[in-house]
Amino acid sequence: MSVSLRKARTIIRKTLEKGREMELKPLSVVVLDAGGHVQAFEREDGASPGRFGIAQGKAYGSIMLGLPGSAQKARADEQAYFMIAMNGVYDGKVVPVPGGILMRDRKGVIIGAVGVTGDTSDNDVIAGLAGIAAAGLTGDA
């Protein structure tokens, strides 16, 4: 199973709503399917155009490695060579920081990933988890 377009749009809408509620800087949110392909993306007014690549890199690393952004960052801090090698394997597309969130269905199966960027990594995660929960899924940040 993968994430539907309807759920992806809900995740984005609710993530952005949470960001506005928290008075965050303008966010950009991408939803990837289980194969790492973009299902949906939105960039709020005022967010820099380069945010797509950051959001995608956060989510892409999560789905390709099966590790949320926080675990990737910990791995990079402890074994930088590993994340450097992974970025080589994935053509530099991995952004190993919080804000890359794995999505799981009710059975715990990974069905995709969300990447959120624009504010602090911790705030990006809070907003993204709210969006995922609103779609009836579980987030692993």
Side-chain angles (χ1 to χ4, degrees):
M1 179 179 173
S2 198
V3 63
S4 69
L5 180 58
R6 188 173 134 256
K7 282 197 185 273
R9 287 178 172 161
T10 296
I11 291 164
I12 290 172
R13 185 177 74 251
K14 294 298 187 177
T15 297
L16 297 178
E17 284 177 14
K18 184 68 173 179
R20 287 190 295 274
E21 174 189 310
M22 294 173 62
E23 299 181 0
L24 303 183
K25 294 176 185 171
L27 298 179
S28 296
V29 185
V30 69
V31 178
L32 304 184
D33 66 17
H37 305 100
V38 175
Q39 182 72 337
F41 170 76
E42 284 192 29
R43 179 173 57 92
E44 285 188 300
D45 293 343
S48 63
R51 291 293 175 172
F52 172 77
I54 298 168
Q56 184 182 27
K58 288 181 174 188
Y60 189 77
S62 293
I63 200 71
M64 289 297 121
L65 299 174
L67 297 170
S70 59
Q72 292 176 61
K73 183 183 182 313
R75 189 77 182 262
D77 290 344
E78 294 170 15
Q79 297 175 312
Y81 64 87
F82 176 79
M83 290 311 297
I84 291 168
M86 290 305 97
N87 247 325
V89 168
Y90 294 113
D91 299 321
K93 295 178 186 173
V94 175
V95 179
V97 296
I101 308 167
L102 290 170
M103 292 184 298
R104 298 179 186 272
D105 66 12
R106 291 183 181 143
K107 295 179 182 177
V109 175
I110 295 172
I111 62 167
V114 173
V116 183
T117 184
D119 205 87
T120 66
S121 291
D122 290 341
N123 285 338
D124 293 345
V125 168
I126 292 167
L129 287 172
I132 292 167
L137 302 170
T138 302
D140 183 1

